[in-house]
Amino acid sequence: MEIYYINRKTATKEKEIVAGDSFLRWIYDTKTGSTILEMIVKRKMFSSIYGKMQDLSSSKRKIHKFAEDLKIDMKEAEIENIEDYKNFNDFFARRLKKEARPIEKEESHLVSPADGRILAYENIDKNSIIQVKGFTYTLEELIGDEKLSKEYDGGACIVIRLCPADYHRFHFPDSGIPMETKKIKGMYYSVNPIALKKVASIYCQNKREITLFQSDHFKEVIMIEVGATCVGSIIQTYIPNKRIQKGEEKGYFKFGGSTVILFLKKGAAHIDQDLLKNTENEIETKVNMGERIGINKA
């Protein structure tokens, strides 16, 4: 299965370069692979060990080929020279120059908290949120809070899938005050479409961290970071209960593909039509952190 997405800047359909493509297909498409997935790969120990290996100084040897194979533009990075990174995780969580990710300043504009490929939904049913066609999950399952989940019925859901090639720091989509993060232990399934079409309720099964964000212009927003295979850690760098500005860093992922999910209450924002239309056509849209993805028309 080849994976395509819409490049929002050019409005063209492009093929995704999948890191570890052969391994993913073997793990999720074969009987032997699926057995190993359930016994070893989905478990914390596998990803923890792999993550620690990326902290070793010897891991920097693979940076050049990784950047070359996935066509990563190092001119965007604060540290352009690959030799200046201490290890692979240091490179993977690299910071970008401010001008590489300008933040949409208009107060009424909701911005993407991360680089990635977006699926967006409005008027969601809290009891049947779409993972992919044929697979759904409930908001209560995802966040572990029945009362809170009811408050988002009929609202919006924005799923941003980060590939290994993407910038892996995540940010706030508006100014406001973030609360403490709630951590939920879980498995480490891949969040690649190959896996999403094979395993039900992946986001509800995987390790995840949930933050209530009191947004200035979009009511209360639920922000969720989901771990995945080989994601050594989800690191939160923000200070809870302290006011932040739109686009400020919230945290970062160590190695692996990952997902950031936003839930907005009914009427809090109108999601941009191109994102909704592409989602309806079952294709993701590539966006950058800081780019507008919705608007408050109130």
Side-chain angles (χ1 to χ4, degrees), residues 75-76 96-102:
K75 290 181 180 178
E76 292 185 334
L96 300 186
K97 298 168 184 171
K98 286 186 178 181
E99 59 269 26
R101 293 295 180 273

Side-chain angles (χ1 to χ4, degrees), residues 56-67 74 77-88 90-91 94:
L56 299 175
S57 58
S58 58
S59 67
K60 70 182 293 182
R61 291 178 300 189
K62 66 191 229 181
I63 297 175
H64 187 273
K65 187 175 189 307
F66 184 90
M74 293 305 297
E78 285 186 357
I79 301 174
E80 293 186 30
N81 189 351
I82 284 172
E83 297 304 318
D84 291 337
Y85 289 96
K86 296 180 292 185
N87 52 50
F88 189 81
D90 187 34
F91 156 77
R94 64 195 175 279

Side-chain angles (χ1 to χ4, degrees), residues 147-252:
K147 182 181 177 183
L148 184 63
S149 69
K150 290 178 180 178
E151 297 179 23
Y152 289 81
D153 201 24
C157 171
I158 301 166
V159 181
I160 305 140
R161 178 176 65 87
L162 288 73
C163 297
D166 289 325
Y167 167 60
H168 264 71
R169 290 180 180 263
F170 43 89
H171 300 247
F172 289 100
D174 186 30
S175 57
I177 301 175
M179 304 294 107
E180 292 274 357
T181 292
K182 172 184 174 182
K183 300 184 179 184
I184 299 179
K185 294 180 180 179
M187 297 301 164
Y188 292 78
Y189 287 107
S190 170
V191 292
N192 186 280
I194 294 169
L196 293 175
K197 291 178 183 294
K198 297 286 185 178
V199 182
S201 302
I202 278 183
Y203 303 134
C204 301
Q205 294 193 59
N206 274 16
K207 168 187 176 178
R208 54 205 182 276
E209 301 197 355
I210 301 164
T211 309
L212 289 182
F213 174 46
Q214 304 296 334
S215 163
D216 285 344
H217 305 99
F218 302 96
K219 304 182 182 180
E220 180 185 74
V221 179
I222 298 176
M223 298 187 68
I224 305 172
E225 294 87 38
V226 183
T229 306
C230 297
V231 175
S233 301
I234 301 171
I235 310 296
Q236 302 289 346
T237 58
Y238 78 99
I239 300 173
N241 303 304
K242 180 181 178 182
R243 171 163 287 281
I244 58 85
Q245 296 305 309
K246 180 194 284 189
E248 274 191 39
E249 183 181 299
K250 184 177 187 290
Y252 64 90

Side-chain angles (χ1 to χ4, degrees), residues 8 104 109-114 118 120 122 158-160 173 218 262 264 269-276 285 287-295:
R8 199 180 195 192
E104 172 58 61
H109 291 178
L110 180 76
V111 304
S112 177
I118 279 186
E122 288 187 327
I158 301 166
V159 181
I160 305 140
F218 302 96
L262 302 181
L264 292 93
H270 296 278
I271 307 306
D272 286 351
Q273 284 300 307
D274 64 319
L275 304 179
L276 294 173
T285 308
V287 300
N288 283 340
M289 189 282 292
E291 187 176 326
R292 170 183 151 167
I293 57 173
I295 187 170

Side-chain angles (χ1 to χ4, degrees), residues 21-34 36:
D21 181 61
S22 298
F23 175 73
L24 276 172
R25 293 180 193 283
W26 178 71
I27 280 286
Y28 287 93
D29 288 343
T30 70
K31 187 174 180 180
T32 302
S34 295
I36 292 173

Side-chain angles (χ1 to χ4, degrees), residues 1-6 13 118-121 130-135 161 193 197 274-285:
M1 180 187 76
E2 294 182 331
I3 301 168
Y4 291 90
Y5 61 88
I6 300 297
K13 188 176 180 180
I118 279 186
L119 291 174
Y121 309 88
I130 297 171
Q131 175 175 294
V132 289
K133 188 176 181 179
F135 282 144
R161 178 176 65 87
K197 291 178 183 294
D274 64 319
L275 304 179
L276 294 173
K277 183 179 178 181
N278 291 339
T279 299
E280 192 176 330
N281 291 331
E282 298 181 32
I283 188 164
E284 298 166 310
T285 308

